[in-house]
Amino acid sequence: DKGNHRHFMEKEIYEQPEVISHALSHYVDFASNTISANAAAIDFKAATGLAISACGTAYLAGLVGKYWFELYARLPVEIDVASEFRYREMPLSPTQAALFISQSGETADTLASLRYCKDNGLKIGAVVNVRESTIARESDAIFPIMAGPEIGVASTKAFTCQLAVLASLALGAGKARGLIDTAQEKEFVRHLAEMPRIMSRVLNEIQPQMESLSRELSKCRDVLYLGRGTSFPLAMEGALKLKEISYIHAEGYAAGELKHGPIALIDENMPVIVIAPYDRFFEKTVSNMQEVAARGGRIIFITDEAGAAASKLPTMATIVLPNVDEIIAPMIFSLPIQLLAYHTAVFMGTDVDQPRNLAKSVTVE
Ligand code: M6R
């Protein structure tokens, strides 16, 4: 049932504040300000490293997770798309742990990667939406994302719930490894607790601007997304979302890679969507944006209040989100990305919930 919404995708985008709050309550105890993300089967404290694998949007959630596990838990992460991971014959040690991320829990390549790790003696964690799935069944620990059924082929709420779970796990691992003290834990919990409310506010506030911008985007043949740090996987996720439902060609690039190739494409016909919260990467990303502007590129700047105040570059549009802590920024910055893709597809009249050539669950290689 789509409720008041035109498409399941729209409904699922607007469900995010609610489902993410379910997801968080499974991993965070808001009464005692503690992150209780632990599973007896996986010892993040003793682990010497983490292997992560997944496909598509779930892979991009894993890539954000890599930044978090390395930053907050000092756990080195090896990550690859499952279709490569399963065949790479990479050397693994039983002292590493492994995480597989899958909404459906049935993706063939992800399952094969899981079995490869199992054969190598690693303990397996499954970050899944469907708890009765094959991937969940074959794992030592299940980390449910609690997003509820996701019907739209384009993953939206599963992505942000995957992020919320991975953030909790990375912080839980950091705590177990003695890198996050009680005061810091309390601060993280405070930021996570605020997230659902901020998401609701952002969804309501940016909707009209996303709708009008989508008219511009629908005229384009190509779109480039740029980001640094955790905004780099978000740039790739923005591009994936746009291409899969609107059929507009889009690429997500690490902002620093611009001058190593894609800058040759910049002209007034290819909008560049820059994702840049005011974090420690901001100045660097803005200097890349400057390179785009200097070549006549049109910029759609997705930033926060501090970022909007700090940059004076002319843009085609600036989307201003509230200033939020670094730990929740990826979830908040996912929202304009999803809405832009959604409205562009609606404007172009494509089958948003069931895009051509795609299946919700890819159970064959
Ligand atoms: O069910 P899974 O999470 O394993 O599916 C992985 C991908 O097939 C999926 O995320 C796909 O990329 C989505 N259509 C993206 O919106």
Side-chain angles (χ1 to χ4, degrees), residues 54-59 101-108 110 127 135 150 152-156 158 162 237 240-241 244-245 355 358-362:
C55 298
T57 288
Y59 163 72
I101 309 163
S102 177
Q103 188 284 128
S104 64
E106 301 296 344
T107 301
T110 308
V127 179
I135 288 177
E150 189 181 63
V153 164
S155 185
T156 52
Q162 284 160 352
E237 170 61 6
L240 174 57
K241 218 91 296 176
E244 82 173 322
I245 58 171
L358 285 171
K360 181 66 182 162
S361 176
V362 184

Short mmCIF file of all heavy atoms in Angstrom, two decimals, residues 54-59 101-108 110 127 135 150 152-156 158 162 237 240-241 244-245 355 358-362, ligand 1:
data_model
loop_
_atom_site.label_atom_id
_atom_site.label_comp_id
_atom_site.label_asym_id
_atom_site.label_seq_id
_atom_site.Cartn_x
_atom_site.Cartn_y
_atom_site.Cartn_z
N ALA A 54 29.47 -6.56 -0.60
CA ALA A 54 28.05 -6.33 -0.91
C ALA A 54 27.96 -5.89 -2.37
O ALA A 54 28.99 -5.76 -3.04
CB ALA A 54 27.47 -5.25 0.01
N CYS A 55 26.75 -5.66 -2.85
CA CYS A 55 26.55 -5.20 -4.23
C CYS A 55 25.75 -3.89 -4.25
O CYS A 55 24.93 -3.66 -3.37
CB CYS A 55 25.75 -6.22 -5.04
SG CYS A 55 26.56 -7.81 -5.18
N GLY A 56 25.98 -3.11 -5.27
CA GLY A 56 25.15 -1.92 -5.54
C GLY A 56 25.12 -0.96 -4.37
O GLY A 56 26.16 -0.60 -3.79
N THR A 57 23.92 -0.54 -4.00
CA THR A 57 23.75 0.42 -2.93
C THR A 57 24.26 -0.13 -1.60
O THR A 57 24.85 0.62 -0.80
CB THR A 57 22.26 0.81 -2.84
OG1 THR A 57 21.96 1.63 -3.97
CG2 THR A 57 21.93 1.56 -1.58
N ALA A 58 24.08 -1.42 -1.36
CA ALA A 58 24.56 -2.02 -0.11
C ALA A 58 26.09 -1.93 -0.04
O ALA A 58 26.66 -1.69 1.03
CB ALA A 58 24.10 -3.47 -0.02
N TYR A 59 26.74 -2.07 -1.20
CA TYR A 59 28.20 -1.92 -1.25
C TYR A 59 28.59 -0.49 -0.87
O TYR A 59 29.55 -0.26 -0.12
CB TYR A 59 28.71 -2.28 -2.65
CG TYR A 59 30.11 -1.78 -2.92
CD1 TYR A 59 31.21 -2.37 -2.31
CD2 TYR A 59 30.31 -0.70 -3.78
CE1 TYR A 59 32.49 -1.89 -2.55
CE2 TYR A 59 31.59 -0.22 -4.02
CZ TYR A 59 32.68 -0.81 -3.41
OH TYR A 59 33.93 -0.33 -3.64
N ILE A 101 26.56 -7.10 3.58
CA ILE A 101 25.42 -6.18 3.67
C ILE A 101 24.48 -6.48 2.52
O ILE A 101 24.90 -6.50 1.36
CB ILE A 101 25.92 -4.72 3.60
CG1 ILE A 101 27.04 -4.50 4.62
CG2 ILE A 101 24.78 -3.74 3.83
CD1 ILE A 101 27.86 -3.25 4.35
N SER A 102 23.22 -6.73 2.84
CA SER A 102 22.26 -7.03 1.79
C SER A 102 20.85 -6.76 2.28
O SER A 102 20.44 -7.29 3.33
CB SER A 102 22.39 -8.50 1.37
OG SER A 102 21.42 -8.83 0.41
N GLN A 103 20.12 -5.95 1.55
CA GLN A 103 18.72 -5.70 1.90
C GLN A 103 17.97 -7.02 1.86
O GLN A 103 17.38 -7.44 2.84
CB GLN A 103 18.13 -4.67 0.92
CG GLN A 103 16.74 -4.15 1.26
CD GLN A 103 15.62 -5.13 0.95
OE1 GLN A 103 14.78 -5.41 1.83
NE2 GLN A 103 15.61 -5.69 -0.23
N SER A 104 18.01 -7.68 0.71
CA SER A 104 17.22 -8.91 0.50
C SER A 104 17.80 -10.11 1.24
O SER A 104 17.07 -11.02 1.62
CB SER A 104 17.18 -9.23 -0.99
OG SER A 104 18.48 -9.52 -1.47
N GLY A 105 19.12 -10.11 1.40
CA GLY A 105 19.77 -11.28 1.98
C GLY A 105 19.87 -12.45 1.01
O GLY A 105 20.21 -13.56 1.40
N GLU A 106 19.58 -12.18 -0.27
CA GLU A 106 19.57 -13.27 -1.26
C GLU A 106 20.50 -13.01 -2.43
O GLU A 106 20.52 -13.80 -3.38
CB GLU A 106 18.14 -13.49 -1.80
CG GLU A 106 17.10 -13.84 -0.76
CD GLU A 106 17.34 -15.18 -0.05
OE1 GLU A 106 18.14 -15.99 -0.56
OE2 GLU A 106 16.75 -15.39 1.02
N THR A 107 21.24 -11.93 -2.44
CA THR A 107 22.08 -11.60 -3.59
C THR A 107 23.17 -12.65 -3.80
O THR A 107 23.96 -12.93 -2.88
CB THR A 107 22.67 -10.18 -3.40
OG1 THR A 107 21.57 -9.28 -3.27
CG2 THR A 107 23.54 -9.76 -4.56
N ALA A 108 23.19 -13.22 -5.00
CA ALA A 108 24.03 -14.40 -5.27
C ALA A 108 25.51 -14.13 -5.03
O ALA A 108 26.19 -14.93 -4.37
CB ALA A 108 23.79 -14.88 -6.71
N THR A 110 26.94 -11.83 -3.22
CA THR A 110 27.21 -11.54 -1.81
C THR A 110 27.26 -12.84 -1.01
O THR A 110 28.13 -13.04 -0.16
CB THR A 110 26.14 -10.57 -1.25
OG1 THR A 110 26.05 -9.45 -2.14
CG2 THR A 110 26.48 -10.08 0.15
N VAL A 127 24.43 -7.89 7.76
CA VAL A 127 23.65 -6.67 7.94
C VAL A 127 22.52 -6.75 6.91
O VAL A 127 22.71 -6.45 5.74
CB VAL A 127 24.53 -5.42 7.73
CG1 VAL A 127 23.71 -4.14 7.88
CG2 VAL A 127 25.70 -5.42 8.71
N ILE A 135 21.40 -15.33 3.43
CA ILE A 135 22.61 -14.70 3.98
C ILE A 135 22.52 -14.65 5.51
O ILE A 135 23.49 -14.96 6.21
CB ILE A 135 22.83 -13.31 3.35
CG1 ILE A 135 23.30 -13.50 1.89
CG2 ILE A 135 23.82 -12.47 4.16
CD1 ILE A 135 23.49 -12.23 1.10
N GLU A 150 10.96 -3.23 1.67
CA GLU A 150 11.31 -2.20 0.69
C GLU A 150 10.87 -2.73 -0.68
O GLU A 150 11.38 -3.75 -1.15
CB GLU A 150 12.82 -1.92 0.71
CG GLU A 150 13.20 -0.70 -0.13
CD GLU A 150 14.71 -0.44 -0.12
OE1 GLU A 150 15.47 -1.30 -0.61
OE2 GLU A 150 15.12 0.64 0.37
N GLY A 152 10.21 -0.57 -3.70
CA GLY A 152 10.84 0.13 -4.82
C GLY A 152 12.17 -0.55 -5.14
O GLY A 152 12.91 -0.91 -4.22
N VAL A 153 12.45 -0.71 -6.43
CA VAL A 153 13.71 -1.35 -6.82
C VAL A 153 14.89 -0.49 -6.37
O VAL A 153 15.92 -0.99 -5.93
CB VAL A 153 13.74 -1.63 -8.34
CG1 VAL A 153 15.16 -1.91 -8.82
CG2 VAL A 153 12.84 -2.82 -8.67
N ALA A 154 14.74 0.82 -6.45
CA ALA A 154 15.80 1.72 -6.00
C ALA A 154 15.82 1.72 -4.47
O ALA A 154 14.83 2.03 -3.82
CB ALA A 154 15.57 3.12 -6.52
N SER A 155 16.93 1.35 -3.91
CA SER A 155 17.03 1.25 -2.46
C SER A 155 17.18 2.63 -1.83
O SER A 155 18.03 3.42 -2.24
CB SER A 155 18.24 0.37 -2.13
OG SER A 155 18.31 0.15 -0.76
N THR A 156 16.35 2.94 -0.85
CA THR A 156 16.42 4.25 -0.18
C THR A 156 16.49 4.06 1.33
O THR A 156 17.52 4.29 1.95
CB THR A 156 15.21 5.13 -0.55
OG1 THR A 156 14.00 4.39 -0.31
CG2 THR A 156 15.26 5.56 -2.00
N ALA A 158 16.49 1.33 2.98
CA ALA A 158 17.43 0.28 3.37
C ALA A 158 18.84 0.86 3.46
O ALA A 158 19.60 0.53 4.37
CB ALA A 158 17.39 -0.89 2.40
N GLN A 162 20.99 0.83 6.73
CA GLN A 162 22.29 0.14 6.72
C GLN A 162 23.35 1.06 7.31
O GLN A 162 24.19 0.65 8.12
CB GLN A 162 22.69 -0.23 5.27
CG GLN A 162 21.93 -1.44 4.72
CD GLN A 162 21.94 -1.51 3.19
OE1 GLN A 162 22.40 -0.58 2.50
NE2 GLN A 162 21.43 -2.61 2.66
N GLU A 237 26.53 6.88 -4.76
CA GLU A 237 25.15 6.47 -4.52
C GLU A 237 24.18 7.42 -5.24
O GLU A 237 23.17 6.98 -5.82
CB GLU A 237 24.86 6.42 -3.01
CG GLU A 237 23.42 6.25 -2.59
CD GLU A 237 22.75 4.96 -3.06
OE1 GLU A 237 23.44 4.09 -3.64
OE2 GLU A 237 21.54 4.83 -2.88
N LEU A 240 24.26 6.44 -8.86
CA LEU A 240 23.56 5.15 -9.07
C LEU A 240 22.05 5.36 -9.05
O LEU A 240 21.32 4.85 -9.92
CB LEU A 240 24.00 4.16 -7.99
CG LEU A 240 23.28 2.80 -7.95
CD1 LEU A 240 23.40 2.06 -9.28
CD2 LEU A 240 23.83 1.92 -6.83
N LYS A 241 21.59 6.12 -8.06
CA LYS A 241 20.15 6.34 -7.93
C LYS A 241 19.61 7.05 -9.16
O LYS A 241 18.58 6.67 -9.72
CB LYS A 241 19.90 7.18 -6.68
CG LYS A 241 18.69 6.82 -5.90
CD LYS A 241 18.91 5.80 -4.82
CE LYS A 241 19.33 4.46 -5.36
NZ LYS A 241 19.63 3.50 -4.31
N GLU A 244 19.70 4.68 -12.33
CA GLU A 244 18.82 3.50 -12.37
C GLU A 244 17.35 3.84 -12.55
O GLU A 244 16.61 3.05 -13.12
CB GLU A 244 19.05 2.56 -11.18
CG GLU A 244 18.40 2.90 -9.88
CD GLU A 244 18.58 1.80 -8.81
OE1 GLU A 244 18.52 0.59 -9.13
OE2 GLU A 244 18.75 2.15 -7.64
N ILE A 245 16.93 5.02 -12.11
CA ILE A 245 15.49 5.31 -12.27
C ILE A 245 15.18 6.36 -13.33
O ILE A 245 14.07 6.38 -13.86
CB ILE A 245 14.79 5.68 -10.94
CG1 ILE A 245 15.44 6.88 -10.27
CG2 ILE A 245 14.79 4.49 -9.99
CD1 ILE A 245 14.64 7.37 -9.08
N PRO A 355 12.14 0.09 -12.56
CA PRO A 355 12.90 0.56 -13.72
C PRO A 355 13.25 -0.59 -14.68
O PRO A 355 13.33 -1.75 -14.25
CB PRO A 355 14.17 1.16 -13.11
CG PRO A 355 14.17 0.84 -11.67
CD PRO A 355 12.84 0.34 -11.29
N LEU A 358 15.82 -4.06 -14.50
CA LEU A 358 16.32 -4.29 -13.13
C LEU A 358 15.38 -5.19 -12.32
O LEU A 358 14.17 -5.19 -12.53
CB LEU A 358 16.46 -2.96 -12.39
CG LEU A 358 17.65 -2.09 -12.78
CD1 LEU A 358 17.53 -0.73 -12.12
CD2 LEU A 358 18.94 -2.76 -12.37
N ALA A 359 15.98 -5.94 -11.40
CA ALA A 359 15.19 -6.75 -10.47
C ALA A 359 15.51 -6.30 -9.05
O ALA A 359 16.60 -5.82 -8.78
CB ALA A 359 15.55 -8.21 -10.64
N LYS A 360 14.54 -6.45 -8.18
CA LYS A 360 14.76 -6.04 -6.79
C LYS A 360 15.82 -6.91 -6.13
O LYS A 360 16.63 -6.45 -5.35
CB LYS A 360 13.44 -6.11 -6.01
CG LYS A 360 13.55 -5.69 -4.54
CD LYS A 360 13.87 -4.21 -4.41
CE LYS A 360 14.03 -3.76 -2.96
NZ LYS A 360 14.76 -2.47 -2.88
N SER A 361 15.78 -8.18 -6.47
CA SER A 361 16.73 -9.08 -5.83
C SER A 361 17.45 -9.86 -6.92
O SER A 361 16.83 -10.48 -7.77
CB SER A 361 15.93 -9.99 -4.90
OG SER A 361 16.76 -10.94 -4.32
N VAL A 362 18.79 -9.78 -6.90
CA VAL A 362 19.58 -10.38 -7.97
C VAL A 362 20.15 -11.72 -7.49
O VAL A 362 21.21 -11.78 -6.88
CB VAL A 362 20.70 -9.42 -8.43
CG1 VAL A 362 21.47 -10.01 -9.61
CG2 VAL A 362 20.11 -8.07 -8.82
O1 M6R B 1 19.35 -6.99 -1.74
P1 M6R B 1 20.73 -6.39 -1.84
O2 M6R B 1 20.94 -5.29 -0.86
O3 M6R B 1 21.82 -7.43 -1.71
O4 M6R B 1 20.83 -5.78 -3.28
C1 M6R B 1 22.01 -5.19 -3.73
C2 M6R B 1 21.80 -4.38 -4.99
O5 M6R B 1 21.26 -5.19 -6.01
C3 M6R B 1 20.89 -3.19 -4.76
O6 M6R B 1 21.35 -2.36 -3.74
C4 M6R B 1 20.77 -2.34 -6.05
O7 M6R B 1 21.99 -1.75 -6.35
C5 M6R B 1 19.65 -1.30 -5.90
N1 M6R B 1 18.73 -1.39 -7.00
C6 M6R B 1 20.18 0.11 -5.88
O8 M6R B 1 19.16 1.05 -5.70
#
